Amino acid sequence: MNREAIYSALWAKLDALDGFVTKSRKLLHWNDVKRYDRPALFMAQGDMQAVTLTGQETKWILRVDVYLYVQTSGEPPAPIMNPLIDAVCDTVNAVHPITGKTALVVDGADIEYCRVEGTVETDEGTLGEQAVCIIPIMICAA
C-alpha cells in the first residue's frame, strides 16, 4: 500500500472543489489565515490503524481531517459554510455509479471505502466573525 498515493488522490479531489480561496495540505491555525484568504480548506493526516484478521491481508484505516475556515462581516457564517461542507461531503462520499464502490481510485491500493465518518464539528461562528468546521474522513485500504 502506498499511503502517499492515497492521500494525494484524496487531495486531488478536494483541491478540485470550487468556492475556496485557499487550499493546502499544510494545516494552518485559523488565526494565521487572513480574511481575504478565506474560505479556506486544509487537509491534515491523522491516525492510522492496522486491522489484521487471521489469514487475511492487513487493512489500514487512515483518518484525515478536513478543516474549513470562513470569515464574515457581521452576517451569520452558516449560509457560507454549509454549502462548502456539503461540497466536501459529496466529493468524499462519491461512489461509482455502476459498481457502487468508492470513487477514490488509487493505483497499487485496494480502497474499500473513503467516506465522511464521525462527528462533523463546527462552532457556527462562536469564535466571532470566523467559523471553523472539522470534517473527519476515514479511508479503508489494503
Side-chain angles (χ1 to χ4, degrees):
M1 179 182 75
N2 182 336
R3 286 170 178 75
E4 181 54 30
I6 294 168
Y7 292 124
S8 291
L10 176 59
W11 176 248
K13 290 180 151 296
L14 295 171
D15 193 34
L17 290 173
D18 292 328
F20 295 96
V21 176
T22 301
K23 298 178 212 167
S24 178
R25 282 185 64 180
K26 181 180 179 186
L27 178 62
L28 296 178
H29 190 274
W30 56 80
N31 287 331
D32 296 327
V33 181
K34 305 286 187 229
R35 174 186 295 271
Y36 53 81
D37 288 331
R38 299 181 192 207
L41 178 150
F42 297 94
M43 185 180 104
Q45 292 178 214
D47 297 339
M48 299 177 211
Q49 179 182 5
V51 178
T52 307
L53 299 174
T54 303
Q56 294 184 11
E57 183 178 8
T58 299
K59 292 184 180 182
W60 287 89
I61 308 296
L62 309 176
R63 180 186 170 109
V64 173
D65 287 321
V66 172
Y67 290 75
L68 306 180
Y69 303 155
V70 169
Q71 192 160 5
T72 60
S73 298
E75 63 272 3
I80 297 169
M81 181 70 83
N82 287 332
L84 298 175
I85 295 170
D86 291 342
V88 169
C89 291
D90 290 347
T91 295
V92 170
N93 292 335
V95 295
H96 189 279
I98 296 172
T99 65
K101 293 184 177 184
T102 183
L104 185 69
V105 178
V106 180
D107 288 335
D110 180 22
I111 307 296
E112 191 169 311
Y113 61 78
C114 176
R115 61 186 177 219
V116 174
E117 185 175 299
T119 301
V120 175
E121 298 178 55
T122 182
D123 71 318
E124 182 28 42
T126 57
L127 296 172
E129 294 182 335
Q130 58 189 354
V132 176
C133 178
I134 305 170
I135 302 171
I137 298 169
M138 299 298 190
I139 302 167
C140 180

